[in-house]
Amino acid sequence: MITWKPFRCPLESKLRLPEASVDATGKIVGDTFEGEFRRSVENLRKVLQSAGCDLHHVVQTRNYVRDADDLALFNQLYRSYFQAPYPARTTITGCLSPALRYEIECIAVAP
């Protein structure tokens, strides 16, 4: 089981966090793209909150989308979780294993 924990960069108050569609034990939970996206971002929110942050502290995201056909839905879902001014964003398609449809990594500035 992999447990991701936020860590503070030594010279800055930033958090770097990867997150995927996993349950409380770290087991991958396969679902529709929307289900995996929501679970991944909610997992990310929990980790951020444990560090005294939330999604509005995120300044950069790196998003991995397995199927480019999901990009329109991805953009719609992303806007429902992140508000303007949006974090800097990189989106990479076609790079995930068949076990995942979506994964997110972010950098957040701690208050």
Side-chain angles (χ1 to χ4, degrees):
M1 175 180 84
I2 297 173
T3 302
W4 297 107
K5 295 186 181 184
F7 64 89
R8 294 191 187 274
C9 299
L11 300 177
E12 304 173 46
S13 2
K14 290 184 181 177
L15 303 170
R16 295 181 64 88
L17 306 164
E19 196 55 69
S21 178
V22 296
D23 63 17
T25 67
K27 181 181 175 189
I28 293 174
V29 179
D31 199 351
T32 62
F33 179 83
E34 181 174 353
E36 287 195 22
F37 179 92
R38 291 186 185 283
R39 188 173 298 102
S40 297
V41 176
E42 288 303 325
N43 288 345
L44 179 65
R45 185 190 309 258
K46 288 176 189 173
V47 176
L48 285 165
Q49 288 173 339
S50 74
C53 297
D54 206 335
L55 294 175
H56 64 273
H57 292 101
V58 173
V59 295
Q60 180 182 2
T61 65
R62 186 172 297 134
N63 301 271
Y64 302 92
V65 177
R66 185 177 72 193
D67 187 346
D69 291 340
D70 290 323
L71 286 174
L73 178 57
F74 162 72
N75 286 322
Q76 177 185 354
L77 292 167
Y78 189 89
R79 286 188 302 271
S80 73
Y81 280 91
F82 295 96
Q83 309 304 314
Y86 296 102
R89 179 176 92 172
T90 301
T91 304
I92 303 164
T93 61
C95 59
L96 290 174
S97 75
L100 289 173
R101 289 178 172 81
Y102 177 75
E103 184 176 348
I104 186 171
E105 176 182 332
C106 81
I107 295 176
V109 176

